[in-house]
Amino acid sequence: FQETTLGRVASHYYVSHDSINVFNENLKASMGEIEIFRLFSLSGEFKQIHVREEEKLELTKLVSRVPIPVKEGVEEPSSKVNVLLQAYISRLKLEGFALVADMTYIQQSACRLMRALFEVALKRGWAALSSKILAICKMVEKRTWGSQSPLRQFGSIPEVIIRKLEKNSDITWDRYYDLKPQDLGEIVKIPKMGKTLHKFVHMFPKLLLNAHILPVTRSLLKIDLSITPDFEYDSQVHEPSMLFWIIVEDVDGEKILHHEPFTLNSSRMVHGTDGKSATALANDETIVNFTVPIHDPLPPQYFIKVVSDRWLHSEATLPVSFRHLTLPLKFPPPTELLDLQPLPVAAFHTQHPTHEQLFRHFKFFNPIQTQTFSTLYESDENALICAPTGSGKTVCAELAILRLFSVQSDAKCVYVAPKQEVADATYDMWVDRLGDVLGKNVVMLTGELTVDLNLLESGHIILSSAVHWDMLSRRWKQRKTIQSVSLYIFDELHLVGGEEGPTVEVVVSRARFIASQLERSVRIVGLATSLANARDVGDWIGATSHSIYNFTPDVRPVPLDIHIQNFDTNHFSTRILSMAKPTYTAIAKLAAQKPVLVFVPSRKQAQLTAIDLLTFASASGNAGRFLHRGRASDELFEPIRDPAVAQSVEQGVGFLHTGLTASDRRAVERRFQQGRIQVLVVPHNLCWAVSAAAHLVVVMDTLYYEGREHRYVDYAITDLLQMIGKASLQAADSQSGCKCVVMCHSPKKDYLRRLLHDPFPIESHLDHFLHDHLNAEVVTKTIENKPDAVDYLTWTFYYRRLTQNPNYYNLQGTSHRHISDHLSELIETTIADLEESKCLAVEDDVELSPLNLGMISSYYYIHYTTIELFAASVTAKTKVKGVIEILSSASEFSHLTIRQGEDQQLRKIALHLPNPLPASAGRNGAVEDPALKTLILLQTHFSRIAIAGELVFDLHFILLEAIKLLQALVDVISSQGWLKPALAVMEVSQMAVQGLWDRDPVLLQVPHFTSDTVSRLKSHSPPVETVFDLLELEDAA
């Protein structure tokens, strides 16, 4: 059986099937308030209500007193229900006890039934009807009519005052916000009430809206909606969480194009000194991202409404005009997969038998590899291969490498991946295959400059993350080895639109720029998933039209069926809970005994899902169904130290998280790859780190909690494609194909279906992250003046997308003048920011020269804002405590997230730290700032306080970044000639390496020495307090 929308609504609101049938048959988009009240009165819940003879007279009187006309006579039960509901809202007094009892029963059902009607209208996309029914829901709950004063909803204002306000009906509610206390006092003729009324007016929930429109395709708009609370919060009046509905309506206000709930939490408010009152921060905005369809011809505008779920008249409307909207140009058609004879690997045998050995694990190249073989292996052209994840693009890269070494045996090839995890996985694969078979030195860059220069010199195939290669290739003019690179392979180029995108864009653009400056042939091969705008990417990397292969998402070596299952539940935790049983059902039906990967939003959910799956298996009478004992014995695998993971793995379900040690993660993955366990549950942030593939992939929801913004945000579409791509060839037989089930919130379904089944376009975000890259090029003298800077931008993907999708980049036209002015303004703004932060100087308004801070920023590869902070914060009197606080505020740590529940955990840890948190540390004592989290974790490291879970992972990241930041801070201080602060920074650097406070006993630096050991040595005669005392003690012994 498959449930329907009406069935879910009936179940959720406990509505009888008779009522839901009546609603289904009679609900119309054009209904007014009269029809809505009549439809409510026809509900099956009120079948037992009858009109008694003695009630008719009173009902007749009530009919004349209620505001909404009742068509039926008082003899009809439906008329009685209608009248009594209106009487309840109007707060009318009834005489008959039986009528009072009936009214009580009706009002108890009214909220539930009206909410059900609202839900049905919302799901059917009827804008006007949804708005009317939601208003009636609030009227019933507040017992206030829409025509009455909104201030009635507070309940504490005297009736006399309210009536006086309602008499002045010529003053609209919006004007009340502009009135002063004196004006309000005059309206009610009681001057002393002015301040009270002014306070209540400004406590009424009000939101300010602002929207930024980004065209994604010609039929899809992305809207970044900024919501700012503009009212005074009071915990005695307002709920801790206030629910609003975001509704996007078409130009006629008839059809709902998108709707989703939005919760404003009291944690977003700043509480007053009394602990009760609070004022919503004027700048504490929340950004909500969503997409809406757009059709041809282009409508003049859409309307975005944010309506309170509880407060009448609390509604903000924002018209979004499309008058100046320029949609992106149409995308070129994808590459057709030709029906070619599969190319046998034996084709290498005559000329290059070693090459055949490289592909010994299969006999034929797949259709994509066959079609691209000629371009990759038989020519030296730049090429772009776009195909779904898991379709064998790595082999395409290997063909280009084989071509390079067959022509130049001593050449150098550089492979760059946006993410370190991707580079690591490729290195593990190539170090054996390419290293052993071809006899070439395969090396991986580490991020340590001296080590990397030696690796670059000795390696033939160099693998690197985009960040490490950017760090190394910035000084390409001084490093001849970089100039000698003959082949670049850029993997996962679709991540140009993601978080790592600007760095990837810079290194690809630099590779082409180097080739043009040196006037030598350098081959670039790009690999990506299916793209809508592949031609722009190909043009950017220098590939010709016949060397761009952009296959559609359904072109896979193994067929993949994608099912999108939607869930109506708005509350995230409840929704993820309701996905557990469907996940188990999907595994039972679609996977049988085959491997399954389940992706979940968080580490905690990974463990809960593993437990749920085992519980459902046990309840079905087959507790060991996920454990395949015949495949391999436990003795063949490494032991797992984490007790929770080990216990779960023993039952056949493994789970991973960032808090696991590397050995435990390897042990779990090996058991999954060898078939010992059938199911592996993985948090979404590890989707790039997991090398395992599966027959079935289940994605449990497409949202995760973003701690910095205190809200749930969508997975990046690139991450989602990576998860789906894990259902690939290695784990499935080619006959049955692979399966993928994506579970999501209902409003996201159409958007996901569109992006998963069609190629998606990528856009550049370089303009938002240009400062550091421009500063680095000025330092290396690649850019010496402003015209050079504009010319630098013309090498980028950003420049190619400006003309194709101008509105995405706030460009109003595509003429040469428009583009020239836009680029000049971008450069001027960026240079002004860098000049203000004293990273560079502008001479004669054109020439650019680097300053000391800019050189430090570029050398240590840190943000210009961090260097600016260091220079502004450090003084001649700064001590160790101040250095730690300055270090914690570095921009490098701004990406640390505060996970759900982590706030309380960090607060408890902070109580045991030697240095208290700064006075400005978070609102209401909350740890909401990444700088505070960094400060707490650094102190736990110095105090050697044990922490668990993902905090260990965060601390590891902080310590890796801290050393280079401290070295940069020493350089900044040395430039000022201050000795004491420089020594303090060096002490903090030692503290970070040793995990000690500067006041701790020196001997704790010795491995395996504990506080107890040090105490015993101190009590020794003579006392042993230093390493030198210890050496003397050994000599004496």
Side-chain angles (χ1 to χ4, degrees):
F1 294 103
Q2 185 67 39
E3 77 277 9
T4 64
T5 301
L6 287 174
R8 283 193 290 267
V9 171
S11 172
H12 182 74
Y13 291 102
Y14 206 69
V15 179
S16 68
H17 70 279
D18 292 332
S19 296
I20 212 72
N21 186 43
V22 170
F23 295 166
N24 183 42
E25 290 178 356
N26 296 287
L27 202 62
K28 301 290 186 290
S30 57
M31 292 175 75
E33 286 186 336
I34 297 174
E35 288 87 354
I36 294 170
F37 274 93
R38 181 177 177 275
L39 179 58
F40 167 80
S41 67
L42 295 173
S43 300
E45 268 74 3
F46 308 125
K47 277 182 179 178
Q48 74 279 19
I49 288 184
H50 303 287
V51 180
R52 303 174 187 88
E53 193 64 35
E54 63 273 15
E55 297 171 346
K56 290 182 180 179
L57 179 61
E58 188 174 356
L59 286 173
T60 305
K61 291 178 183 177
L62 289 172
V63 168
S64 62
R65 294 180 65 187
V66 295
I68 307 294
V70 181
K71 291 182 179 180
E72 296 84 356
V74 292
E75 296 84 6
E76 293 291 329
S78 62
S79 172
K80 177 180 177 180
V81 173
N82 192 340
V83 169
L84 289 180
L85 177 62
Q86 293 190 55
Y88 173 75
I89 298 172
S90 303
R91 303 180 188 234
L92 299 179
K93 292 186 178 179
L94 304 181
E95 296 174 3
F97 293 115
L99 274 181
V100 172
D102 286 342
M103 187 174 78
T104 304
Y105 174 73
I106 290 166
Q107 66 91 5
Q108 286 173 345
S109 301
C111 296
R112 181 168 51 84
L113 294 173
M114 283 296 182
R115 287 284 172 184
L117 279 169
F118 168 66
E119 197 87 12
V120 173
L122 198 66
K123 294 287 188 291
R124 293 182 177 180
W126 295 339
L129 184 64
S130 298
S131 181
K132 290 172 188 173
I133 297 177
L134 181 58
I136 294 172
C137 290
K138 293 185 280 189
M139 290 177 201
V140 174
E141 291 165 2
K142 297 287 187 179
R143 300 188 71 181
T144 302
W145 290 102
S147 57
Q148 294 177 312
S149 172
L151 293 179
R152 277 187 178 272
Q153 299 170 80
F154 286 104
S156 55
I157 303 175
E159 180 72 17
V160 180
I161 304 296
I162 293 291
R163 289 186 181 277
K164 287 184 178 180
L165 289 171
E166 289 171 350
K167 283 181 182 178
N168 291 277
S169 56
D170 55 324
I171 302 176
T172 60
W173 173 246
D174 291 337
R175 285 187 57 195
Y176 274 78
Y177 290 99
D178 302 325
L179 297 177
K180 296 177 182 177
Q182 301 93 308
D183 302 330
L184 290 166
E186 287 177 17
I187 290 174
V188 297
K189 304 291 190 288
I190 306 175
K192 66 179 182 181
M193 282 296 295
K195 284 187 177 179
T196 305
L197 288 174
H198 186 268
K199 175 188 172 186
F200 279 115
V201 167
H202 288 275
M203 280 169 57
F204 192 83
K206 181 185 177 185
L207 301 177
L208 302 178
L209 306 181
N210 191 23
H212 185 213
I213 306 172
L214 302 171
V216 179
T217 67
R218 293 186 67 82
S219 60
L220 197 67
L221 288 180
K222 181 185 177 188
I223 297 180
D224 294 338
L225 180 65
S226 162
I227 303 175
T228 308
D230 185 27
F231 63 94
E232 294 179 3
Y233 178 85
D234 190 322
S235 59
Q236 294 184 336
V237 174
H238 304 103
E239 303 92 341
S241 296
M242 302 175 67
L243 179 64
F244 291 82
W245 288 96
I246 299 173
I247 298 174
V248 184
E249 299 177 0
D250 64 2
V251 65
D252 301 317
E254 293 178 355
K255 187 178 180 184
I256 295 176
L257 302 170
H258 175 82
H259 66 85
E260 67 175 82
F262 163 72
T263 305
L264 184 67
N265 293 314
S266 60
S267 60
R268 304 292 286 174
M269 312 293 178
V270 176
H271 287 260
T273 53
D274 59 355
K276 296 177 183 177
S277 63
T279 305
L281 275 179
N283 60 351
D284 192 10
E285 64 178 13
T286 302
I287 304 295
V288 180
N289 314 106
F290 53 86
T291 57
V292 294
I294 193 162
H295 305 288
D296 223 4
L298 198 64
Q301 62 186 10
Y302 281 167
F303 293 98
I304 301 175
K305 290 185 177 180
V306 181
V307 188
S308 172
D309 189 65
R310 299 290 178 189
W311 292 79
L312 273 166
H313 299 286
S314 176
E315 178 177 325
T317 304
L318 179 69
V320 179
S321 174
F322 298 146
R323 183 181 299 173
H324 302 294
L325 181 67
T326 305
L327 293 176
L329 299 179
K330 288 185 177 179
F331 299 121
T335 305
E336 183 184 354
L337 186 65
L338 304 177
D339 187 15
L340 301 175
Q341 185 74 23
L343 185 70
V345 174
F348 288 117
H349 186 69
T350 52
Q351 294 184 336
H352 301 286
T354 54
H355 295 182
E356 181 186 3
Q357 189 183 354
L358 188 67
F359 305 112
R360 60 185 179 274
H361 53 287
F362 55 85
K363 294 181 180 179
F364 294 93
F365 291 107
N366 70 31
I368 292 172
Q369 295 157 359
T370 300
Q371 190 165 334
T372 57
F373 183 87
S374 176
T375 301
L376 293 168
Y377 189 73
E378 296 174 356
S379 77
D380 293 315
E381 292 181 335
N382 291 358
L384 175 66
I385 316 297
C386 300
T389 305
S391 54
K393 296 192 294 292
T394 307
V395 170
C396 295
E398 291 170 355
L399 291 174
I401 294 172
L402 295 179
R403 166 70 183 183
L404 173 70
F405 290 126
S406 64
V407 176
Q408 307 174 51
S409 60
D410 60 342
K412 286 188 182 295
C413 161
V414 172
Y415 168 94
V416 179
K419 293 180 177 286
Q420 186 64 49
E421 298 94 332
V422 178
D424 289 339
T426 309
Y427 174 75
D428 291 340
M429 181 168 51
W430 281 359
V431 73
D432 294 328
R433 294 184 62 201
L434 298 179
D436 295 345
V437 175
L438 299 181
K440 301 296 180 183
N441 189 16
V442 181
V443 298
M444 166 72 83
L445 299 187
T446 63
E448 292 289 335
L449 187 61
T450 309
V451 176
D452 285 350
L453 287 172
N454 292 331
L455 290 173
L456 189 63
E457 191 69 38
S458 62
H460 298 103
I461 301 172
I462 299 103
L463 291 91
S464 172
S465 67
V467 168
H468 290 165
W469 185 249
D470 183 28
M471 199 185 304
L472 199 63
S473 64
R474 282 180 170 182
R475 296 185 175 272
W476 62 270
K477 289 184 178 180
Q478 291 83 25
R479 292 166 183 160
K480 300 297 181 185
T481 318
I482 292 174
Q483 298 177 19
S484 67
V485 174
S486 301
L487 170 64
Y488 285 98
I489 296 170
F490 293 105
D491 203 356
E492 311 290 357
L493 271 182
H494 54 278
L495 290 177
V496 163
E499 189 179 338
E500 305 83 0
T503 307
V504 177
E505 189 170 346
V506 164
V507 295
V508 175
S509 303
R510 186 181 292 139
R512 289 206 65 205
F513 182 75
I514 292 171
S516 71
Q517 293 295 303
L518 298 177
E519 297 182 351
R520 64 185 292 267
S521 176
V522 176
R523 189 182 193 189
I524 296 176
V525 174
L527 307 175
T529 191
S530 303
L531 300 174
N533 54 344
R535 186 172 295 177
D536 294 330
V537 179
D539 178 45
W540 169 46
I541 68 171
T544 57
S545 57
H546 64 269
S547 61
I548 297 174
Y549 297 90
N550 182 31
F551 300 102
T552 57
D554 57 351
V555 174
R556 297 173 183 267
V558 176
L560 175 63
D561 293 332
I562 301 177
H563 306 275
I564 301 178
Q565 190 173 347
N566 60 304
F567 292 78
D568 285 334
T569 311
N570 292 325
H571 187 249
F572 177 82
S573 300
T574 308
R575 186 169 65 248
I576 204 80
L577 198 64
S578 66
M579 290 177 179
K581 186 63 185 288
T583 299
Y584 176 78
T585 306
I587 294 171
K589 287 184 178 179
L590 302 176
Q593 299 295 309
K594 296 174 183 175
V596 180
L597 273 172
V598 180
F599 288 98
V600 294
S602 64
R603 169 208 171 147
K604 180 182 177 183
Q605 192 57 47
Q607 185 170 357
L608 291 175
T609 300
I611 294 169
D612 286 342
L613 292 176
L614 292 172
T615 304
F616 289 131
S618 181
S620 68
N622 189 4
R625 64 168 299 159
F626 298 127
L627 186 64
H628 300 160
R629 298 183 185 280
R631 301 288 177 87
S633 172
D634 276 338
E635 287 77 17
L636 300 176
F637 301 107
E638 300 174 59
I640 299 172
R641 293 186 179 86
D642 188 295
V645 177
Q647 186 178 2
S648 179
V649 165
E650 285 175 7
Q651 306 299 318
V653 177
F655 66 92
L656 304 176
H657 55 78
T658 49
L660 277 184
T661 61
S663 60
D664 276 2
R665 190 186 297 182
R666 275 196 311 271
V668 176
E669 279 201 61
R670 276 201 64 202
R671 283 169 169 81
F672 180 72
Q673 289 167 335
Q674 298 295 327
R676 176 68 174 168
I677 59 176
Q678 185 187 352
V679 182
L680 183 61
V681 186
V682 184
H684 78 100
N685 56 346
L686 288 180
C687 66
W688 294 92
V690 175
S691 58
H695 169 76
L696 170 66
V697 169
V698 180
V699 181
M700 290 179 67
D701 216 335
T702 58
L703 300 173
Y704 70 97
Y705 184 75
E706 175 53 83
R708 284 169 294 172
E709 300 177 25
H710 305 283
R711 66 188 182 96
Y712 292 95
V713 297
D714 291 308
Y715 291 166
I717 189 63
T718 48
D719 289 355
L720 200 53
L721 291 171
Q722 178 69 11
M723 295 175 198
I724 292 169
K726 291 297 179 183
S728 60
L729 178 66
Q730 293 92 330
D733 55 68
S734 56
Q735 279 144 10
S736 64
C738 299
K739 304 285 189 294
C740 179
V741 178
V742 179
M743 299 177 180
C744 67
H745 192 202
S746 294
K748 307 285 183 189
K749 184 175 181 179
D750 292 338
Y751 168 68
L752 290 172
R753 183 188 288 118
R754 193 187 296 260
L755 285 186
L756 294 180
H757 292 286
D758 296 331
F760 78 101
I762 55 171
E763 301 290 351
S764 170
H765 299 100
L766 181 62
D767 51 333
H768 301 296
F769 301 90
L770 186 58
H771 297 77
D772 293 318
H773 299 295
L774 189 66
N775 176 61
E777 302 300 343
V778 171
V779 170
T780 57
K781 301 290 185 184
T782 303
I783 294 175
E784 296 183 340
N785 50 51
K786 290 179 180 178
D788 284 352
V790 175
D791 181 60
Y792 171 79
L793 286 180
T794 62
W795 289 93
T796 62
F797 181 62
Y798 173 76
Y799 177 73
R800 280 149 185 84
R801 287 302 297 166
L802 278 178
T803 55
Q804 303 296 313
N805 193 2
N807 276 175
Y808 193 93
Y809 303 98
N810 292 325
L811 196 62
Q812 298 305 318
T814 56
S815 65
H816 289 298
R817 181 64 181 270
H818 278 106
I819 293 172
S820 176
D821 289 349
H822 179 80
L823 293 178
S824 298
E825 184 183 351
L826 175 61
I827 291 297
E828 288 286 353
T829 306
T830 306
I831 287 174
D833 291 342
L834 290 171
E835 188 179 18
E836 186 181 348
S837 62
K838 298 180 182 176
C839 287
L840 55 79
V842 182
E843 300 165 4
D844 302 327
D845 202 36
V846 176
E847 299 298 321
L848 306 176
S849 58
L851 297 179
N852 184 51
L853 293 182
M855 293 178 185
I856 296 171
S857 170
S858 175
Y859 181 81
Y860 289 105
Y861 202 80
I862 59 180
H863 296 307
Y864 84 101
T865 49
T866 300
I867 281 293
E868 185 181 12
L869 170 77
F870 286 174
S873 303
V874 176
T875 67
K877 297 180 179 179
T878 301
K879 296 181 180 177
V880 168
K881 182 183 176 183
V883 170
I884 298 171
E885 289 182 6
I886 293 169
L887 175 64
S888 302
S889 301
S891 301
E892 276 68 14
F893 303 130
S894 62
H895 294 292
L896 281 177
T897 57
I898 314 293
R899 302 175 187 89
Q900 268 184 310
E902 213 170 65
D903 168 36
Q904 296 176 359
Q905 189 179 356
L906 289 168
R907 262 187 290 173
K908 288 178 182 176
I909 294 173
L911 296 174
H912 302 284
L913 298 178
N915 291 343
L917 298 181
S920 58
R923 308 179 208 154
N924 317 317
V927 182
E928 297 178 342
D929 187 5
L932 283 176
K933 178 176 179 177
T934 305
L935 182 60
I936 291 170
L937 290 181
L938 278 173
Q939 291 198 57
T940 61
H941 176 64
F942 301 149
S943 304
R944 296 192 176 182
I945 295 173
I947 54 176
E950 290 171 307
L951 289 178
V952 176
F953 178 78
D954 292 335
L955 179 59
H956 178 68
F957 165 75
I958 289 168
L959 293 174
L960 284 177
E961 294 290 322
I963 301 302
K964 71 174 183 182
L965 289 170
L966 290 167
Q967 290 170 345
L969 188 53
V970 169
D971 285 3
V972 171
I973 294 171
S974 301
S975 307
Q976 300 290 336
W978 296 331
L979 177 61
K980 287 186 178 179
L983 292 174
V985 176
M986 292 175 192
E987 279 189 12
V988 173
S989 182
Q990 293 169 349
M991 287 157 55
V993 173
Q994 299 296 339
L996 288 174
W997 288 99
D998 54 337
R999 52 185 175 269
D1000 285 336
V1002 179
L1003 287 177
L1004 282 175
Q1005 297 177 79
V1006 180
H1008 309 296
F1009 271 43
T1010 62
S1011 299
D1012 183 49
T1013 311
V1014 172
S1015 300
R1016 284 161 56 196
L1017 287 171
K1018 197 172 182 179
S1019 61
H1020 188 271
S1021 181
V1024 179
E1025 295 181 342
T1026 67
V1027 177
F1028 302 107
D1029 293 342
L1030 192 65
L1031 291 172
E1032 289 175 9
L1033 188 66
E1034 287 178 356
D1035 292 342

